[in-house]
Amino acid sequence: MKTYQLAALALSELGVGTVFGLMGDANLAYLGDFVENHGGEFVAAVAEGGAVSMADGYARMTGGVGVASVTHGPAVTNCTTALVEAVRSRSAVLLLTGSTPDVRDHFQDFDLEGFARLAGAEYRRVRQAAAVGADIAEALSRVATTRTPLVLDLPYDLLEVAATGESPRAVPSPPVPGAPAADLVDDALAALLGSARPLILAGRGAVGSGARDDILRLARALDAPVMTTLLAKDLFAGEPENLGIHGSLSHAVAIEELGRIDCVLVVGAALSSFTTDNTALLAGKFVIQIDDRSDAFGRFAPVDLPITGDAAKVMHALCKRLAEADAPAPSGRRVTQLAEAVRALEQKGYHSISGGGTVDMRDAMARLAALLPPGSQVVTDIGRFSTAAWKYLPVEPGRFTVPGAFGSIGLGIATAVGAAASHRDAPTVCVVGDGGAMMGLTELSTAVRHHLPVVLVVLDDHCYGAEYLKLAGLGLKPAHSEVEWPGFAETARALGARAVTVREVDEFAQVAALIEKGNYPLVVEVKADPARRRPHVATAAAGRAH
């Protein structure tokens, strides 16, 4: 058996069902064998960076390892931005590539180890043909355990070497931290009970561990509100304790309350600059942080009491200890008063600017929410449009992500394609701005070729929105940021997708019909006003409160 056959066998036996990538000299042999002889799925991307983003989206939505494979040289350099995003997001991505043939001055020779180091990923090299299965198993295990992307180099010169390799062992599940230390639980509980206005902040780690019920149980015992990071949004939707997203997306009631908080219990959240407004929202507060990684503490913000452990286990221990302590019940008025203030704020709503041939992005998201079937996944790109999606498009916790840790637009579509490949029983909705859509639109053809249930919503205001605002703020012409794109619906049809253009709110009825019939991939081009002006002509939609 040759090395490439051993590699294909290892991928199959180790439970890798889908590989995203582009074929080339360094990988076509084992990818072809993986598909033909082991029943694996190869999702062929348009560009190598798209393949890495797909593996990233797959990993985020499954909680497992996403695998991408590319050839050498420029194929690797094309992966840079997507790999950095995966690293910054601590996404479990394995990138398979291979060193060029060992000849002098090969024109595609490139320092793979240096590339991995530059991106922040780990690097491993297969050095013996017979060890390829064990090396792939070790790489998968390493990625699953550390949640740090890894570049595995399977050199071209080894692919045709005949070897006898042992069957790789199954990849072990990442170890789950044990019960938290009793003294830390007591210290945390003492701080919470001793505070006047505590808050519980939940992040993606709380979602993944299943800590929701115990977080609410503790919050109710303390008469404390709960909030989430963006990636955990809607974890507490509908609960009276819920104050929404913590940070720059907080609503007015939450912002006012954050100024009064004196103690924060952080459950599985990274405390990034967006969540904490560059730590300003934690100033003067006693911070207790629960995380299953010791390197999370102090990474972005100072922590007074770090507790290493699984979020669900630590929360259960806190609830159990509180019950044993038989502490006096709080008045119960704090959460009630906050809930009343939130309801009043929601009733005020916002003033829609839909009309005159453009749709308010907030209206678009509210209409879209009513059309999506249960189990739908949501991926958003980043940009000025994002706040409409984040605030007005509800999501199912655990089925939502944002590839925005590196601040690059244009990664959303490929990430959504990978997410769609992980769950095909319901649509994956990708919300993008027009600039990001143009950067990633070619990967829509990947969704078409592989019959993936993707609904791509392009919020098209004909400009780079953040730059539009900044130019205006400098007293310069915002028109410098405006772009006349080709029609997104027309382009989508050329790529093989279904598409509709929405210029009026009522035109979402077309979208509803297509989603109900499962006509995917589907592109919804929503026309919006770059200046966000109220329409000159009053319409039924204009001035409407939501």
Side-chain angles (χ1 to χ4, degrees), residues 201-526:
L201 169 60
R204 185 170 59 174
V207 177
S209 69
R212 178 184 183 277
D213 290 347
D214 276 331
I215 290 174
L216 286 172
R217 181 180 166 194
L218 181 62
R220 287 162 184 164
L222 297 171
D223 190 28
V226 294
M227 299 185 75
T228 71
T229 63
L230 173 61
L231 291 180
K233 103 181 194 74
D234 295 335
L235 180 60
F236 307 112
E239 302 293 343
E241 293 80 12
N242 184 33
L243 279 185
I245 298 174
H246 188 288
S248 55
L249 293 170
S250 295
H251 53 63
V253 174
I255 290 172
E256 185 176 354
E257 181 63 14
L258 287 175
R260 298 191 287 255
I261 299 295
D262 58 358
C263 181
V264 183
L265 173 61
V266 182
V267 187
L271 295 178
S272 71
S273 58
F274 296 106
T275 299
T276 66
D277 190 17
N278 292 310
T279 74
L281 295 177
L282 299 180
K285 299 171 175 58
F286 188 87
V287 178
I288 308 163
Q289 186 177 7
I290 300 167
D291 206 284
D292 60 2
R293 302 166 178 273
S294 59
D295 62 353
F297 306 123
R299 180 184 175 205
F300 294 107
V303 176
D304 298 288
L305 180 57
I307 303 177
T308 304
D310 174 74
K313 288 185 176 180
V314 177
M315 288 306 305
H316 187 73
L318 282 168
C319 289
K320 182 179 178 182
R321 189 72 185 94
L322 179 60
E324 293 170 351
D326 195 25
S331 67
R333 286 296 303 157
R334 180 185 173 206
V335 163
T336 299
Q337 291 170 350
L338 287 171
E340 290 172 353
V342 170
R343 280 194 296 272
L345 182 66
E346 291 174 344
Q347 288 171 358
K348 288 176 63 177
Y350 62 84
H351 293 290
S352 171
I353 59 170
S354 290
T358 63
V359 177
D360 189 317
M361 294 182 182
R362 298 166 295 184
D363 289 346
M365 294 297 96
R367 284 299 183 100
L368 181 64
L371 308 179
L372 297 180
S376 296
Q377 300 182 132
V378 175
V379 177
T380 76
D381 210 288
I382 58 173
R384 181 175 68 157
F385 75 91
S386 302
T387 54
W390 297 340
K391 288 187 176 183
Y392 297 98
L393 180 59
V395 301
E396 291 188 24
R399 294 203 166 197
F400 168 69
T401 196
V402 180
F406 190 36
S408 172
I409 69 172
L411 301 180
I413 296 176
T415 303
V417 170
S422 73
H423 293 291
R424 307 187 191 203
D425 56 336
T428 293
V429 179
C430 181
V431 185
V432 299
D434 45 294
M438 284 302 296
M439 291 183 183
L441 195 59
T442 53
E443 296 301 351
L444 177 64
S445 69
T446 303
V448 171
R449 282 182 279 108
H450 292 275
H451 309 288
L452 297 174
V454 173
V455 177
L456 174 60
V457 182
V458 182
L459 298 177
D460 180 15
D461 57 6
H462 307 286
C463 71
Y464 288 98
E467 288 69 23
Y468 188 100
L469 292 177
K470 291 174 182 178
L471 286 167
L474 291 171
L476 301 172
K477 294 179 180 178
H480 296 308
S481 71
E482 294 180 4
V483 184
E484 283 297 325
W485 307 111
F488 287 99
E490 182 180 353
T491 305
R493 293 187 193 102
L495 292 173
R498 300 293 184 92
V500 296
T501 300
V502 174
R503 292 184 174 86
E504 303 291 343
V505 174
D506 290 344
E507 292 175 346
F508 269 95
Q510 305 172 59
V511 180
L514 291 169
I515 289 177
E516 186 175 354
K517 294 176 182 177
N519 287 330
Y520 308 125
L522 169 64
V523 173
V524 183
E525 178 186 25
V526 180

